[in-house]
Amino acid sequence: GAVVSQHPSRVICKSGTSVKIECRSLDFQATTMFWYRQFPKQSLMLMATSNEGSKATYEQGVEKDKFLINHASLTLSTLTVTSAHPEDSSFYICSASNSAYGYTFGSGTRLTVV
Amino acid sequence: GIQVEQSPPDLILQEGANSTLRCNFSDSVNNLQWFHQNPWGQLINLFYIPSGTKQNGRLSATTVATERYSLLYISSSQTTDSGVYFCAVSGGSYIPTFGRGTSLIVHP
C-alpha cells in the first residue's frame, strides 16, 4: 500500500514554455502533499506544501508565481513550472503521507530546460 | 526547524562488507524514515522507524529517540546497494526534513 505515482519521469522543454508535473496517491487519500527539488549531488529541499482545497504554502525563497501548485482532489497535486528557464532544470519529487507508512515519495521528474 | 546530520558523507565498500550509517537529529521527532535513492533518482522507502528496531533482509535500523539518533545497518553489501541513503525526520510540523545523505559505493 501507499503508492505515489509521479509523471512524467523525464521532460525536456524549451526555455519560456511551461511544464506540468502530476503527483497521484494511488491507494490512499492525501490531504497534504509535498514538493521537493533536488540539485545534483545534494539533498532534497522542500519547495512547498500542497493542501487539498486551499492554497499551497511555499518555503522562503520559492517563487510561487513560477512554481504553481494545485491540489484539486485528495489524490492529485500538480506542480507547473511556468516560463521555464535553464536554471529551473532540476529533479523534482513529490511526497504524500499516510498514517501507516509515513511519507511515500513519487519516482521523481527530471526537468531539463534547453 | 529540526537539524538532521548524517554520517559518513561518503562510504566505499567491497562487496560482502558490513556498514553502519548514522542519523543525528536536533529535536524530538514523531516520524523518521530511511530512504535509498538509486542511480536513477528514485527514492525507495527502507524503514519507517520513529523508535525501536526493524529488520528487512540484510538491512536493519534502530532509532533511539531519547538520544536523538538512528542507525542503518547494511550487512553483506552488494553492488545494488550503491546509491545515496537519506534520513528524513519530522517533528511537530509533520513536514519531513532530509539530511544531506550518505553516498555509498559498493565495489564488486
Side-chain angles (χ1 to χ4, degrees):
Chain A
V3 177
V4 173
S5 172
Q6 182 176 344
H7 70 92
S9 58
R10 190 180 295 265
V11 59
I12 301 173
C13 71
K14 291 185 177 181
S15 188
T17 62
S18 295
V19 172
K20 180 184 284 189
I21 303 169
E22 290 190 351
C23 179
R24 293 179 185 272
S25 56
L26 296 186
D27 49 2
F28 66 101
Q29 294 183 332
T31 56
T32 303
M33 291 185 177
F34 305 96
W35 288 95
Y36 290 83
R37 181 174 182 177
Q38 186 181 31
F39 291 102
K41 299 189 183 301
Q42 293 191 24
S43 188
L44 283 76
M45 300 301 296
L46 180 67
M47 297 176 64
T49 302
S50 170
N51 304 298
E52 188 268 335
S54 65
K55 292 183 178 181
T57 304
Y58 290 83
E59 295 299 298
Q60 191 173 7
V62 177
E63 299 177 61
K64 58 184 179 183
D65 294 331
K66 165 165 278 294
F67 300 101
L68 299 179
I69 291 173
N70 183 276
H71 195 152
S73 76
L74 288 171
T75 59
L76 173 65
S77 176
T78 61
L79 168 68
T80 301
V81 183
T82 63
S83 186
H85 291 283
E87 58 265 30
D88 298 324
S89 298
S90 191
F91 188 68
Y92 295 88
I93 192 163
C94 70
S95 170
S97 68
N98 175 280
S99 60
Y101 299 99
Y103 292 91
T104 302
F105 284 80
S107 54
T109 299
R110 191 166 301 282
L111 170 65
T112 303
V113 185
V114 297
Chain B
I2 297 177
Q3 305 300 311
V4 182
E5 292 185 3
Q6 290 186 243
S7 60
D10 301 282
L11 188 57
I12 299 174
L13 300 175
Q14 206 67 32
E15 199 168 31
N18 303 327
S19 63
T20 301
L21 282 59
R22 187 177 181 101
C23 172
N24 292 332
F25 42 96
S26 61
D27 206 344
S28 301
V29 299
N30 51 35
N31 180 41
L32 187 147
Q33 287 179 256
W34 283 97
F35 295 92
H36 175 219
Q37 188 170 39
N38 63 25
W40 296 271
Q42 187 173 10
L43 273 173
I44 308 298
N45 181 28
L46 299 176
F47 293 103
Y48 172 45
I49 186 166
S51 64
T53 297
K54 290 185 178 180
Q55 181 160 4
N56 184 4
R58 295 181 296 105
L59 303 180
S60 64
T62 295
T63 297
V64 183
T66 53
E67 297 186 22
R68 298 180 182 169
Y69 72 90
S70 183
L71 302 174
L72 176 69
Y73 305 96
I74 304 174
S75 64
S76 303
S77 58
Q78 301 176 358
T79 56
T80 52
D81 295 331
S82 297
V84 183
Y85 290 81
F86 287 105
C87 167
V89 305
S90 60
S93 69
Y94 297 96
I95 298 175
T97 300
F98 282 78
R100 290 180 176 272
T102 292
S103 177
L104 173 64
I105 298 174
V106 181
H107 289 302

